[in-house]
Amino acid sequence: MPVLAVLDTDDPAIVNLLDADVILTLTAHHESGETNVTVAERDLGIIGHARLRPDLAHARFLDTVPVPASTPASGAAAADAAAGGSQAAGDVIGTDADHELAAAALPFTSGALQGLPAEATHLLAALRTALASGNVRDLDELRTPLQALAAAGLRLSETAEGQRLAAALYAYNTPTPAPTDAAAQPTDVNGAAEDADDEARRDDDDGLRPGDEEDEPETAVFPALKILKDSVTRSKMHPIPVIRSEDREDGPWPLISEDMDGEPDWVHPDVTSTRVPHVRANGKRVRRDRLDVPDTFGEGVMCLIDRNGSFPSACSSVPLAPNKLLHTGPLKAFDKDQAGIYLIDVPAWNQPTMPHPLGRLVDRPDDEGRVWVTTPHIKLLDRLRRQGHLDAPVTIHDSWTGKSNESLFKPFYTAAREARTELVQTGGEPYNKYKTRLSIALRLLWPKRAEQRSPFWRPDWRMSMVAEASVRHWLKAFTAVQEGHTLISLRNVDAAIFWTPPATPPDTYRIGTGFGEVKARFIERGEFIPEGDD
């Protein structure tokens, strides 16, 4: 049930003790007889302001009475205006980016179109109000949350309105370049926005929308969330699916990030990768990769390998700790009976024909050259050391671990595999719904917004699952390279590109539609890499 608390205090420490979802702060301006109301959301900060007139006899607040344009402001009212209140008639506040963002968001903030999260709608509506009222103070306070919104990479529709808003958000968070001769040339704004949005989504957006956490109806093609919950509750280890919100700021939880997926983003050092513009069938301008393979590689074509169901496949035996993570500190060696997160030195990797086994983690070490990794990656490094591919054992400087389990998600994997076997043959909308619900269920392991009432909050489970998919992807490519095949690119958890004779995929992969199998396509030298279809 909703709880409303009223405090007569200006001490923020006392207010913070409530850990409220929404805080309305009322500040009286005795000189003008008005009250300023600031609305703040726990995760987003300030999302709006209002200047109201108290009517305490009736326990309410009313709109302020507008001052006629012909009436000169004087005294306290003039001082308030100078401090950032309403601007004089004819003044225009805000940058071009402010006004374009407000205009682009108007179809959504007015209610004509749906599709924005509630917090984004409120924030953009507050921008429109601040610009319309000429409130400099409000506009200044909106800068930081608006920049965070612009960097978050909202998923918008491919309608004209959605793409205009995407471009406006990108422009809002992009510094204006100094004038140069090149600046006069036309730029591919949509393509740049697409690149920025892709990276922002990868790191900051869980891709979830309100209602995703609700159980699917009995008639659902694949009730993925229900199956995942059942997988966890049937475990005899009594898993802890949700870490309490008051515990999330301490211990191992602030140490976990999206970088720990260890996904590769690698191109062979002798191959040149270029981002080139491309127009989709629906008219949207995007960018795609083009790999220029030198003549020294000989005759051949690019063979695009696309792994099926990388994430649900990883659920078959991902090592993770179902219960609490305890601080186990430095370790002499990796203990296969434990799982969690580990602070290690980035090991040297001296094989230029393969990416580093830690993927993009190696690009983000701390000042001492160390990174936090999950269990799948430390298991991989331990295996490579035993096989002689690493020169030294991994040093574990710190750790948070618990009793390991590799079967927590096994029932989910089994159900997903059986459903895919049937639905991949059917195709169409049922198969698309299956993929969508499967993805949502796994993303709900680590929802990023407090209002997302997921049955889970275990970032270590989520990142261990993605890391397991990355490790399996890397190992399959490594096996192919050891067998003499030429890898020219390895990305994400499912995309690999080899240089092969025409119509000849590496024989280390199994071609098919099931989990553990891959699709193979071939494109000629110089062509851009098309989008995947799974």
Side-chain angles (χ1 to χ4, degrees), residues 21-22 24 38 60 82 115-116 123 177 195 198 246 260 262 270 301 313 366 382 407 410 431 479:
D21 292 321
V22 178
L24 284 77
T38 301
R60 64 181 180 178
L116 288 185
L123 195 58
D195 289 347
D198 285 347
E246 58 266 30
M260 294 171 74
D270 295 333
V301 295
S313 292
D366 63 15
D382 185 62
S407 61
K410 184 66 175 291
Y431 181 54
T479 299

Side-chain angles (χ1 to χ4, degrees), residues 24-307:
L24 284 77
T25 303
L26 280 66
T27 306
H29 295 272
H30 300 291
E31 68 280 0
S32 64
E34 296 176 347
T35 298
N36 190 65
V37 182
T38 301
V39 184
E41 206 273 342
R42 177 168 52 189
D43 294 328
L44 293 174
I46 294 174
I47 60 174
H49 295 272
R51 195 85 164 189
L52 303 175
R53 177 167 53 89
D55 179 13
L56 301 184
H58 298 90
R60 64 181 180 178
F61 289 87
L62 306 173
D63 290 339
T64 56
V65 179
V67 177
S70 59
T71 304
S74 60
D80 185 63
S86 298
Q87 295 288 96
D91 288 349
V92 178
I93 69 167
T95 65
D96 290 344
D98 290 325
H99 288 275
E100 171 57 19
L101 181 56
L106 182 59
F108 300 91
T109 56
S110 66
L113 292 177
Q114 303 296 316
L116 288 185
E119 61 270 21
T121 304
H122 295 160
L123 195 58
L124 292 168
L127 170 64
R128 186 182 68 183
T129 301
L131 292 172
S133 62
N135 196 317
V136 178
R137 182 189 294 115
D138 286 0
L139 192 60
D140 288 342
E141 291 183 352
L142 286 168
R143 293 277 182 226
T144 298
L146 280 171
Q147 288 171 350
L149 174 66
L154 290 177
R155 291 190 174 180
L156 298 166
S157 65
E158 295 187 3
T159 61
E161 294 84 359
Q163 294 312 298
R164 182 186 179 185
L165 180 55
L169 285 166
Y170 175 76
Y172 190 88
N173 212 27
T174 304
T176 303
T180 63
D181 292 340
Q185 301 298 320
T187 57
D188 185 5
V189 175
N190 287 340
E194 176 80 8
D195 289 347
D197 286 350
D198 285 347
E199 185 63 23
R201 278 190 213 114
R202 183 180 187 182
D203 293 335
D204 302 323
D205 185 14
D206 54 21
L208 298 171
R209 296 294 175 262
D212 283 347
E213 72 281 5
E214 298 177 3
D215 280 341
E216 301 90 347
E218 293 295 332
T219 56
V221 172
F222 183 67
L225 182 57
K226 182 178 184 299
I227 295 171
L228 186 60
K229 290 193 296 184
D230 289 345
S231 297
V232 173
T233 56
R234 72 170 63 179
S235 172
K236 296 180 180 179
M237 294 188 71
H238 305 292
I240 302 174
V242 177
I243 302 300
R244 297 183 303 176
S245 57
E246 58 266 30
D247 296 332
R248 298 176 187 177
E249 301 301 319
D250 299 312
W253 313 114
L255 304 173
I256 299 173
S257 73
E258 291 283 355
D259 297 332
M260 294 171 74
D261 57 20
E263 291 186 11
D265 187 9
W266 177 86
V267 175
H268 192 288
D270 295 333
V271 174
T272 302
S273 177
T274 308
R275 297 287 277 174
V276 297
H278 169 62
V279 180
R280 288 177 175 168
N282 61 7
K284 181 179 179 181
R285 299 177 65 193
V286 296
R287 288 179 181 267
R288 291 290 169 259
D289 293 320
R290 184 180 66 204
L291 301 180
D292 296 317
V293 182
D295 293 338
T296 54
F297 279 55
E299 294 297 324
V301 295
M302 287 181 279
C303 175
L304 280 59
I305 296 294
D306 183 8
R307 297 183 67 232

